[in-house]
Amino acid sequence: MSAQLPVETINTGDELEFGTLDLNYDKMETSKKVVNQLENRLSVKDIMKIQKVFMQPNVEEFVPLNRKSFIDNMFTALGYDIEEEYGDLFDRIDVARDGFVDWNKVTTFMLLELYENEDRTKSSLVPQWKEIKFLPTHHKEPIQSIAYLKNSHRYLSLSKEGWMNVWGENLKLQQTLRVTTDSVRLRDLWVTSMVSLTNVNKVAVAFTSKEICFYDLNSKDEFFCQYKLHGIYNTLISMHYWFNADDGNQAVLTFGDVCGEVNAICFTTALISLFERPTNSTDEQEATVTITWQELFEGNHKCCFTLQHKGHNKEWVRQVSYCSNLEAFISCATSNLNTLVLGWKEKGTTPMKTTSFHVNEGVNAFDYHPGLNLIASAAVNHRVYLWNPYMSKPTGILRGHLASVIGVQFNSTRRQLFSFSKDKVLRIWDLQNQLCIQRLAGIFPKCLEFQTILYFNETNGQLFTTFNNQLTLLEMKQENSECVKSHEKSVTCVLYNSLFKQVISSDIGSTVIVWMIETGQKVKQFTGCHGNSEITTMALDASETKFFTASVDGTVKIWDFNGHCHHKLNAGRDQAADISQILILRRSILVLGWERIITVFRTDTLTEFVVQPSEWKGKAQHQNDILCAAFLPPQTLVTGSYDGEIVVWNNNSEKVSSRFHPCLKRALKSESDNQRHELEEPQALDNFSTVTNRYSLFNADNKDDEFNYIVSRLFFLEGRKNASSTGGANLIACGGCGIVRFWNTFKSLLLAEFEAHVNAASIIMTVDKKNDYLITGDMNGRIKVWNIQEYCLCSSDKVISEVPPMVVATQPHNDCISHLETCVQDGRLLILSASADCSIVLSDVTGSVIGVFGQDEHWRIGECSPPSVTKIPVKTLKFEKIMAQKHVSREEHLVVSKHSIPVAEEEIDHESRLNIWKSTILGNIFRENRIQKKPRPRLSAWGKLRSPIGTFSCLQMEDLEKITDIPKPDFLQNPNEYFDVNLEAADNEKLMFPTFSDTLKVAFDEKSLFPEEILGCEHKVKLLDEQNLNGGKAALKKNTSCVKLRSPQRTIAGIKLRKQLDNSIQK
C-alpha cells in the first residue's frame, strides 16, 4: 500500500505563521477586482500615451473629452482591453458627473489611486515578530500603568503597591523607586493610574486616597513630589494626558472615577507652571505645593480651568482620553447604556454636552485613530466595534474572539488594529478590509485570573502586555521589502543531493521544494506532505534516491523524488511528537527529539506501508529529551539531550559505553542516577565511564539557566583518523549560550570550548566533509565560518578556551537560522543556509552570497571564477568582537579561503562589446533559454587576450617564435655511427637479409609471443585430441564400428578449433 503525492503546487494557505487568517469571501473578491482594475495595469508608457489623447494638433492646452470620445481615443491609443473597461474608468474619474474629463482629472484620480494602493499594501502586510521576551520586574502586585518618556527614551512601569521600575532604551532595568504619599500608610497605599507629562518632564500618579501627585523628573531629589491635588470627590481609576506639540503651554489632564464622572484640567501655561504657587513660597524652596479640587473647580487658579460631565450613570469609568482634532473627551464603561460617551469641549458650557453609544454588556477599553477618524472599542461580548464619532451606529464589527476583549491599540502607519482577549489571544486586523490577518496564541504566560494592560509604542514597534506583575514584550522585525522568499513560510530544513546535484528544502507549511544548485531554479514542489502539520526535519538515505520527512504529527514518511510515499513510520505512536533529527544507519533508522529514549526502526521491517517502531535495547539513559545524534563507523553512536548530557553507545549491542557532561554538578547527578538505575536493572557495560575529569568554564548554577547546556547539534570529525592515538578532538557539540565544545570520545575528555556567538540563546552548526571548516548560525540570522584544520589535534593539560581562526562573519538572513548544510561544486566549498525568514541562501566560505533560491535571475556556478585569496584584518570585521578571541591581535590577518586561487585583476573595456540581453525583454527570455545550453567558445572581441581567467590562469602564455632553419638530427648526418650497413653502397645493390637460422640467438618462446587467449585455445585443442584419441583406442577394442563413428566427430571438432586458432592468430 502506498500514497501518491501530487507534484503540482496547491495553495490552501488559510494559515499564517502565528495562527489563522479569518477571511470574508466577498471582500477578498473585491480586493482581487481592485488589483485587476485598468489603472493598476497601466505602465509609464501607457500614461504618456493617455496624455497625448488630451492633446490636439496645434493646440498647447489640454482638451477635455466626453465619454464616447474618451473611450474611442483610449482604445486607439492603448490598443488593448475592452471598451467597457474604458467606460468604467471614465465613470470613476468623473465623480461630479460633469459629462467630460480632462488631463487634470485623470492625473488627480491616478494619484489618489496610487496613495490608496500604497495604504492598502501597508495594511495587508502581516507583522513579523521577534521571540516574546519576559522582562524581569520588581513588582509584587499587578502593574497599573506603563508610560514612555520621549525625552530620555525610557519606560516607566508602576504597580499597585507603589513600586516604579525605570527601564532604559535597551529595556534593561535601570532603577527601582517607591512612590509614596503622606496621606496614607505604606500598607494602605494603592496606586490606580499613572501618566507622563512629557512637555514638562513630570509624572502624575493617582491614588485611592482621592489625590493626584505630580512628581518632577528634573528635581535634584530622587523622586520629588512638586504638586499634590487632593480633595477630589471620588476615587480615580483612569487618567490621560495630552499636550499641544506646537504650543506646549496648552495641555489637558483627564481622569475618570468610580462614580461615572469624567473630569478634565485644561492648562494654559503648562511650561511656566501647572498651578499657581502660594504667595509666601519661593522658587528656591523644594516644598510640595498642595492644591484642593475645590480651588480648581471654583476657578481660583488662572493658569488652568476644569471641565466635567456625568454621562456614565455612576458606572466605573474604565478609560478616558482627550482627542484634540475632535475637541472631545472619550470615555467608556462596562454598562449596557451609555457605554461609550463623547464629551464635547465647548467654552462656556458646564457641564459638557455628551454623545452616547450603547453596547450590550459594556466596553473594557478603546482607542482612537485620528487619521481614519475611527474609535475602536473592546467589548465584553467578544467583539470589536468601530465607530464614527458623528454616527450613532458602528461602521464595522470585527468578529473572531472567543472571549471578552480587554484591550485595543491602533497601528496608525499600517492602518491596523491590535485586539487582546481574556483567553490570551492577540489578533491583528486589517482596517481596510476589516479582516484578521494574524492571530497570536499560546505564547503568553499561563495564569487563570489576571489584570492586563496593552501598550503599543508605534515608533519603536514594541507591544507591551502585562499579566498581573509580569511584563512581556513583543517587538516587530524590521520590514525588508526587497527580501527574496524561497518558501511562503518559514524554512525548517535544507539538504544537498550530490547524486542529482539538487537542493531539497522544507517549511512549516508542509511543503517540500527541489532546486537545481547550479542555477537556483525550482524543479519540483510537493505540497501537503503531512497535511497541515509542520515539517520539522528531513534526511537522505545512503543512495540519495529517497528522502525522509518528519512532522509534528509524530510520523516520518519515506519519499522518492517523483512524489511517491513508500512508507509511513509511526514514530510518535499515534501521538504528536516534536521530531528534531532522523539518523539513517545501515540496518536501522533512528528518530529523536521528543522523549528520553531512542525510537528505532529496523530496515528489515520496512515491508508494510505503515511501520511501527522496534524496541531499543539500551532503554532510557538520558534524564531529558534527546535532541540530536551522530554516528562514527563502525559502531560508535553518540546522543545529546536537552540538559547537555552526551551519551556514547555501542550501536551493535545498543548499550552505553560512556557518558559525559560539561557541568560538574550535572555530571555527578547523572552518575548517581545511573548507579541507582544499575542497581535496579543491572547490566554489563564494557569500559563504562560516567564522568569526565574536565568541566566547562561557562558554568550556569542558577535554576533559570538550567538548560543553558542544550546540545542542538553533534558532529564527528571523521577526517581525523588518528584521534585515538593523539588524544585530539573527534566530536563537536554546540547549543546553549552560543558555545561550541570539542570532545574526545575515546577518553571522555572535554578538550576545548569557546563562545562562537556572544549573547546567543542557542546556535546550530555543520562541518564540511574534510573537517576543515566549522560553520555556525544563531537566532539573529548571523553565520560564522571557523578554520579548524589545526584546532585540537592533540591532547592538552587543560581545557582550551582560545577560539580557532575565524574566516568570515556575515548575516545573510533577518531571522533565526534553522539549518546549515555544505556542498562542493566545481572545487568550491559552498554553504546552504535555511532561515525562518522564508529564504535559502547559497554562499561560499568567504561570505560571498551567490544567490537566494527563488530569485528572478538564475545564477551559473560554473561560470563564476573562484574567489581570490585575500587577507582581512580582524579589526575590520563588521560584527561584535568576540570576548574569547583576545589572543588574536589587531595586526593579525586571516586567510579567507583555502579553496581559491589567485586571479590577476585585468581592466577590460566592457563598453566595447554590445550587450543587450539585460536591457530588453526579448534578450532576457533568450538568455534564460540559452543558460540551459552548453556555452560555446567564442573569440575575443577586444583584441589580444593578455591574461586568461579560468583553469589555466596561473600559466604564462607567449607567442611562438618563428622557425627559419630546421636542423637535421644527428642520425641523418652521421648514419655510419648508428647503422652497420653502408647506405651509399646499398643504393646500387639489392640488400640481402640474413636467414632466420643465422640471426637466431635465443630459443623461441611462444609464451612471450602469443597472448594467453590463443595459447589457451591451442591447449584445449590438444587436450581434446588426446581425449578423442584415447577414447577411440578403447572403443576399437570393443567395437570397431565405433571408431568409424567417432573419427569424424574428432575431426570436425578439431577442424573447428583449429579454424578459431587461425583466425585469432591472423587478428
Side-chain angles (χ1 to χ4, degrees):
M1 181 178 180
S2 62
Q4 187 72 23
L5 180 70
V7 178
E8 292 81 6
T9 302
I10 301 175
N11 185 11
T12 58
D14 56 350
E15 291 286 325
L16 288 176
E17 182 178 356
F18 290 88
T20 60
L21 176 63
D22 300 331
L23 297 179
N24 183 285
Y25 179 77
D26 295 334
K27 293 179 179 178
M28 289 300 296
E29 288 296 323
T30 303
S31 178
K32 291 180 181 178
K33 290 179 180 179
V34 170
V35 175
N36 294 326
Q37 286 177 352
L38 175 61
E39 61 271 17
N40 294 325
R41 303 197 305 268
L42 297 176
S43 63
V44 178
K45 294 182 179 180
D46 293 336
I47 295 176
M48 295 176 65
K49 293 178 182 179
I50 295 174
Q51 183 182 14
K52 295 179 180 180
V53 170
F54 295 92
M55 299 177 62
Q56 297 295 334
N58 302 325
V59 178
E60 296 181 357
E61 298 180 356
F62 293 104
V63 178
L65 301 175
N66 57 20
R67 195 175 193 276
K68 187 177 184 308
S69 301
F70 179 82
I71 294 174
D72 295 340
N73 293 337
M74 289 285 289
F75 186 79
T76 303
L78 300 180
Y80 59 86
D81 293 319
I82 57 178
E83 295 182 359
E84 293 180 0
E85 288 193 89
Y86 296 115
D88 180 65
L89 178 61
F90 180 90
D91 295 336
R92 285 185 286 113
I93 296 175
D94 186 19
V95 181
R97 295 296 182 264
D98 296 329
F100 65 90
V101 295
D102 55 11
W103 176 244
N104 291 332
K105 287 185 178 182
V106 173
T107 53
T108 303
F109 172 79
M110 298 290 292
L111 189 61
L112 292 175
E113 281 292 315
L114 290 175
Y115 280 129
E116 290 182 5
N117 290 340
E118 184 180 3
D119 294 339
R120 191 181 299 111
T121 303
K122 287 182 179 179
S123 62
S124 62
L125 288 176
V126 179
Q128 299 296 321
W129 304 93
K130 296 181 180 179
E131 188 176 356
I132 189 172
K133 294 182 180 179
F134 296 86
L135 303 180
T137 65
H138 291 168
H139 298 298
K140 299 179 182 178
E141 296 289 338
I143 299 174
Q144 301 288 66
S145 296
I146 298 175
Y148 179 64
L149 306 178
K150 293 183 180 180
N151 299 332
S152 57
H153 302 287
R154 293 185 297 173
Y155 289 95
L156 302 178
S157 62
L158 184 61
S159 57
K160 175 183 173 181
E161 78 277 11
W163 284 109
M164 177 182 289
N165 289 344
V166 182
W167 309 83
E169 189 176 6
N170 54 359
L171 295 176
K172 290 185 178 180
L173 188 60
Q174 294 181 342
Q175 196 176 9
T176 301
L177 305 173
R178 187 64 184 267
V179 178
T180 60
T181 176
D182 54 4
S183 302
V184 296
R185 292 175 294 180
L186 286 178
R187 64 180 184 180
D188 298 329
L189 186 70
W190 190 328
V191 176
T192 58
S193 183
M194 174 188 66
V195 291
S196 171
L197 285 61
T198 307
N199 59 328
V200 293
N201 206 20
K202 291 178 176 58
V203 173
V205 180
F207 301 90
T208 54
S209 55
K210 303 177 183 179
E211 59 183 358
I212 301 175
C213 294
F214 297 84
Y215 297 92
D216 187 8
L217 301 179
N218 294 328
S219 176
K220 297 178 181 178
D221 296 341
E222 194 172 42
F223 208 64
F224 173 67
C225 179
Q226 187 175 9
Y227 301 102
K228 180 191 290 187
L229 176 61
H230 65 95
I232 303 174
Y233 300 145
N234 304 305
T235 302
L236 283 67
I237 58 174
S238 58
M239 287 196 304
H240 178 264
Y241 182 77
W242 169 88
F243 70 95
N244 190 345
D246 299 327
D247 184 6
N249 287 316
Q250 297 180 8
V252 177
L253 176 65
T254 313
F255 50 89
D257 56 31
V258 296
C259 294
E261 292 187 8
V262 175
N263 297 277
I265 305 175
C266 302
F267 300 100
T268 56
T269 58
L271 297 179
I272 301 174
S273 178
L274 294 178
F275 306 99
E276 294 183 0
R277 302 180 67 89
T279 55
N280 56 356
S281 65
T282 60
D283 295 339
E284 297 178 357
Q285 295 177 351
E286 292 290 340
T288 302
V289 178
T290 304
I291 306 102
T292 62
W293 175 251
Q294 189 65 27
E295 294 176 7
L296 297 180
F297 186 75
E298 294 176 355
N300 296 335
H301 290 256
K302 297 180 181 180
C303 56
C304 61
F305 61 93
T306 61
L307 297 172
Q308 65 174 347
H309 73 78
K310 302 178 181 179
H312 289 285
N313 300 328
K314 296 185 178 181
E315 293 288 340
W316 284 26
V317 182
R318 300 293 180 175
Q319 184 180 348
V320 293
S321 179
Y322 174 71
C323 302
S324 58
N325 58 334
L326 292 177
E327 292 190 352
F329 299 90
I330 308 175
S331 56
C332 68
T334 53
S335 58
N336 294 331
L337 298 176
N338 299 334
T339 307
L340 200 66
V341 177
L342 272 69
W344 304 98
K345 179 184 176 183
E346 297 179 2
K347 294 182 180 180
T349 58
T350 304
M352 291 183 288
K353 294 181 180 181
T354 60
T355 301
S356 300
F357 303 95
H358 312 295
V359 179
N360 189 23
E361 298 182 25
V363 168
N364 288 314
F366 67 89
D367 195 17
Y368 176 70
H369 193 300
L372 299 177
N373 197 23
L374 277 180
I375 301 173
S377 59
V380 181
N381 60 4
H382 310 174
R383 300 176 182 177
V384 177
Y385 292 88
L386 302 177
W387 307 85
N388 187 311
Y390 303 105
M391 299 178 66
S392 59
K393 294 184 178 181
T395 59
I397 301 176
L398 307 180
R399 296 178 176 87
H401 283 287
L402 302 178
S404 174
V405 186
I406 55 180
V408 288
Q409 285 280 308
F410 277 109
N411 186 351
S412 300
T413 55
R414 293 193 178 191
R415 297 194 176 188
Q416 295 175 351
L417 177 70
F418 302 150
S419 61
F420 191 75
S421 57
K422 195 71 175 177
D423 56 354
K424 304 186 199 68
V425 175
L426 179 67
R427 286 180 176 266
I428 293 91
W429 305 84
D430 173 16
L431 295 177
Q432 184 78 19
N433 300 311
Q434 297 184 10
L435 301 174
C436 177
I437 60 175
Q438 194 176 46
R439 175 182 178 271
L440 283 77
I443 61 175
F444 299 103
K446 297 180 180 180
C447 49
L448 297 176
E449 296 295 331
F450 61 92
Q451 179 180 338
T452 297
I453 296 174
L454 196 66
Y455 180 82
F456 179 60
N457 187 341
E458 189 170 341
T459 305
N460 299 333
Q462 296 171 334
L463 180 64
F464 294 88
T465 51
T466 64
F467 299 87
N468 294 334
N469 63 335
Q470 291 182 312
L471 182 61
T472 64
L473 169 66
L474 277 173
E475 191 172 1
M476 283 186 178
K477 298 178 182 178
Q478 294 182 355
E479 294 292 339
N480 187 6
S481 58
E482 299 180 357
C483 180
V484 178
K485 290 187 177 181
S486 308
H487 283 250
E488 292 295 330
K489 297 184 179 181
S490 299
V491 186
T492 56
C493 186
V494 61
L495 301 174
Y496 175 66
N497 189 324
S498 59
L499 179 63
F500 301 132
K501 296 186 183 300
Q502 294 176 344
V503 175
I504 307 101
S505 59
S506 63
D507 61 16
I508 64 175
S510 196
T511 300
V512 175
I513 300 180
V514 182
W515 314 82
M516 293 296 296
I517 192 171
E518 293 182 350
T519 60
Q521 183 179 2
K522 182 190 294 187
V523 180
K524 296 179 182 179
Q525 178 170 333
F526 310 126
T527 60
C529 296
H530 289 264
N532 296 326
S533 300
E534 170 187 345
I535 296 178
T536 56
T537 185
M538 296 192 301
L540 286 170
D541 66 346
S543 63
E544 297 187 357
T545 58
K546 297 179 182 178
F547 65 94
F548 295 65
T549 60
S551 174
V552 293
D553 60 3
T555 62
V556 176
K557 294 184 178 181
I558 305 176
W559 309 84
D560 60 23
F561 284 90
N562 291 324
H564 182 78
C565 181
H566 294 266
H567 301 285
K568 179 180 178 181
L569 311 183
N570 188 14
R573 296 175 176 86
D574 299 327
Q575 294 183 357
D578 189 7
I579 301 173
S580 60
Q581 185 177 352
I582 306 171
L583 186 60
I584 303 174
L585 304 180
R586 185 176 180 181
R587 297 185 179 89
S588 60
I589 302 169
L590 308 183
V591 185
L592 318 164
W594 73 100
E595 56 184 0
R596 298 184 298 114
I597 193 172
I598 298 175
T599 303
V600 59
F601 295 87
R602 314 295 178 186
T603 55
D604 55 3
T605 62
L606 300 180
T607 57
E608 301 292 335
F609 177 71
V610 179
V611 184
Q612 301 298 331
S614 304
E615 182 183 2
W616 180 255
K617 300 177 184 178
K619 304 296 181 182
Q621 297 295 332
H622 283 274
Q623 306 302 320
N624 216 306
D625 295 344
I626 303 174
L627 295 182
C628 57
F631 181 74
L632 179 65
Q635 60 186 13
T636 304
L637 173 70
V638 295
T639 54
S641 62
Y642 200 77
D643 58 358
E645 185 180 27
I646 298 176
V647 177
V648 183
W649 306 76
N650 185 314
N651 186 55
N652 292 336
S653 63
E654 297 182 358
K655 301 296 182 180
V656 177
S657 59
S658 64
R659 68 176 72 240
F660 38 84
H661 196 288
C663 178
L664 175 61
K665 293 183 179 180
R666 304 288 175 80
L668 296 175
K669 183 178 182 300
S670 176
E671 182 183 19
S672 61
D673 293 341
N674 286 301
Q675 289 177 355
R676 183 171 64 254
H677 179 71
E678 290 173 17
L679 293 176
E680 296 175 357
E681 298 181 7
Q683 56 178 337
L685 301 178
D686 298 332
N687 299 326
F688 180 78
S689 61
T690 57
V691 185
T692 176
N693 55 2
R694 295 185 191 172
Y695 305 100
S696 171
L697 302 176
F698 300 93
N699 286 329
D701 298 330
N702 298 329
K703 293 183 179 180
D704 298 337
D705 301 330
E706 59 180 347
F707 295 116
N708 284 348
Y709 296 102
I710 295 175
V711 181
S712 61
R713 294 290 190 275
L714 286 169
F715 281 96
F716 271 112
L717 299 176
E718 298 184 25
R720 301 185 178 184
K721 303 296 183 181
N722 56 350
S724 59
S725 59
T726 61
N730 68 331
L731 178 69
I732 307 180
C734 77
C737 295
I739 299 174
V740 178
R741 294 183 173 91
F742 286 72
W743 296 87
N744 184 293
T745 57
F746 301 103
K747 300 180 181 179
S748 299
L749 285 180
L750 175 63
L751 298 183
E753 64 176 359
F754 65 93
E755 192 173 7
H757 295 257
V758 180
N759 299 327
S762 180
I763 62 172
I764 62 172
M765 68 174 181
T766 188
V767 182
D768 68 313
K769 292 185 178 181
K770 293 183 178 180
N771 303 149
D772 292 337
Y773 296 99
L774 167 69
I775 301 99
T776 58
D778 61 14
M779 305 290 288
N780 296 322
R782 296 179 179 176
I783 293 178
K784 295 183 179 180
V785 182
W786 311 86
N787 190 333
I788 59 171
Q789 299 180 41
E790 306 295 331
Y791 193 72
C792 286
L793 295 179
C794 302
S795 179
S796 59
D797 297 335
K798 59 181 181 178
V799 178
I800 300 173
S801 60
E802 297 177 350
V803 301
M806 184 170 65
V807 178
V808 73
T810 60
Q811 187 171 2
H813 298 280
N814 299 323
D815 206 341
C816 169
I817 304 292
S818 57
H819 200 88
L820 291 171
E821 188 83 1
T822 62
C823 62
V824 178
Q825 281 289 315
D826 298 329
R828 297 175 61 183
L829 179 62
L830 305 179
I831 301 172
L832 289 163
S833 59
S835 172
D837 63 0
C838 309
S839 66
I840 306 169
V841 176
L842 178 65
S843 58
D844 57 15
V845 290
T846 65
S848 301
V849 176
I850 297 175
V852 181
F853 289 92
Q855 67 184 29
D856 295 335
E857 185 177 358
H858 297 159
W859 60 77
R860 295 284 290 183
I861 296 180
E863 295 180 355
C864 303
S865 60
S868 59
V869 174
T870 57
K871 294 184 178 181
I872 304 175
V874 176
K875 63 181 180 180
T876 61
L877 293 175
K878 297 182 179 179
F879 298 104
E880 75 278 354
K881 298 177 181 178
I882 299 178
M883 300 299 296
Q885 203 173 2
K886 296 181 179 179
H887 68 287
V888 182
S889 62
R890 290 182 176 270
E891 300 299 328
E892 191 175 351
H893 292 75
L894 304 177
V895 177
V896 169
S897 175
K898 176 186 175 182
H899 302 276
S900 58
I901 59 175
V903 178
E905 295 185 0
E906 180 183 20
E907 295 182 359
I908 300 175
D909 185 13
H910 296 280
E911 296 180 356
S912 61
R913 292 192 299 172
L914 184 61
N915 189 358
I916 62 171
W917 309 119
K918 296 183 179 180
S919 59
T920 61
I921 298 176
L922 180 61
N924 286 326
I925 297 174
F926 180 78
R927 187 168 60 92
E928 190 71 22
N929 297 332
R930 193 180 178 187
I931 284 177
Q932 308 302 330
K933 299 180 180 180
K934 185 177 180 181
R936 295 175 298 177
R938 61 183 179 186
L939 298 176
S940 175
W942 58 88
K944 181 180 177 181
L945 184 64
R946 293 169 295 175
S947 179
I949 298 177
T951 308
F952 305 101
S953 59
C954 296
L955 301 179
Q956 295 182 358
M957 300 172 61
E958 299 178 354
D959 295 337
L960 297 177
E961 298 180 357
K962 294 183 179 181
I963 302 175
T964 56
D965 297 329
I966 301 177
K968 294 182 179 181
D970 188 56
F971 72 89
L972 293 178
Q973 297 179 1
N974 303 309
N976 297 328
E977 297 180 2
Y978 296 91
F979 306 101
D980 296 336
V981 182
N982 189 355
L983 296 179
E984 295 179 356
D987 291 341
N988 299 324
E989 298 179 3
K990 185 176 179 181
L991 294 178
M992 299 296 294
F993 292 97
T995 60
F996 180 76
S997 58
D998 297 336
T999 57
L1000 183 64
K1001 298 180 181 180
V1002 183
F1004 178 74
D1005 187 7
E1006 62 180 5
K1007 293 184 179 180
S1008 61
L1009 180 62
F1010 298 103
E1012 295 181 358
E1013 296 178 356
I1014 297 176
L1015 296 176
C1017 185
E1018 185 180 5
H1019 182 66
K1020 290 181 181 179
V1021 172
K1022 293 179 179 180
L1023 292 177
L1024 184 60
D1025 290 340
E1026 293 177 358
Q1027 291 177 0
N1028 292 335
L1029 182 62
N1030 296 332
K1033 292 179 179 180
L1036 183 63
K1037 295 178 182 180
K1038 296 180 181 180
N1039 191 0
T1040 57
S1041 63
C1042 294
V1043 177
K1044 298 180 180 179
L1045 295 174
R1046 291 182 180 179
S1047 178
Q1049 292 180 359
R1050 177 185 63 82
T1051 307
I1052 294 171
I1055 291 172
K1056 290 182 179 180
L1057 289 175
R1058 291 184 182 279
K1059 285 184 177 180
Q1060 293 180 0
L1061 179 61
D1062 295 337
N1063 293 334
S1064 60
I1065 293 174
Q1066 291 177 2
K1067 291 181 180 180

